[in-house]
Amino acid sequence: MNIPLVLCGGSGKRLWPLSSVTKPKQFHKIFGNRSLFQETILRLNDFPLEPPIILTSKDHLSFVKKDLSEIEIKPTAILCEPISRDTAPAIISGSLYSMSQFEDPNLLVLPSDHLINPDKNFRETILKG
């Protein structure tokens, strides 16, 4: 099984003042009519993947649900970190959850706050992997 693990936590410090602790940059519609989080999820449409596992915080859960609803995506799961501990612990949490749900999963770990343009190069690289 190929499982996308989408990281969408963050402290909102890197794109201040637009981005903030209460609404980090991945939930803003900076480059069009979709958020960076939505673009990350939609970028996966052409791949043979299971629905994504989303890792976020309790504080950002409403943004995650709203953004997923707008693009009509139902994730495998949304995991909320009780306390922000940065990237490595989030990936470990997602990995452990994946292993409990799927036999021998392959994970595609994706930050949700990056602009990837053009998508063609991203797609080719992922398919090679």
Side-chain angles (χ1 to χ4, degrees), residues 50-107:
E50 294 296 315
I53 295 171
I54 312 294
L55 283 114
T56 191
S57 70
K58 293 181 284 186
D59 296 336
H60 303 137
L61 182 58
S62 63
F63 294 120
V64 168
K65 288 181 174 181
K66 177 184 165 290
D67 278 12
L68 289 172
S69 175
E70 286 179 5
I71 58 173
E72 299 178 354
I73 297 292
K74 295 191 185 329
T76 293
I78 300 173
L79 306 179
C80 291
E81 300 173 300
I83 299 170
S84 179
R85 293 289 187 224
D86 293 324
T87 304
I91 293 171
I92 291 169
S93 295
S95 300
L96 292 172
Y97 179 83
S98 297
M99 291 169 40
S100 75
Q101 301 298 307
F102 302 97
E103 185 175 328
D104 197 26
N106 294 309
L107 298 179

Side-chain angles (χ1 to χ4, degrees), residues 106-127:
N106 294 309
L107 298 179
L108 174 60
V109 178
L110 302 158
S112 64
D113 62 350
H114 292 180
L115 175 64
I116 297 178
N117 202 0
D119 276 359
K120 180 182 178 229
N121 295 341
F122 172 82
R123 293 176 196 285
E124 290 173 0
T125 302
I126 296 301
L127 290 172

Side-chain angles (χ1 to χ4, degrees), residues 9-28 60 63:
S11 59
K13 294 178 184 175
R14 293 195 179 106
L15 195 59
W16 183 88
L18 175 65
S19 181
S20 67
V21 173
T22 57
K23 190 173 182 183
K25 67 183 170 191
Q26 64 265 27
F27 301 115
H28 288 277
H60 303 137
F63 294 120

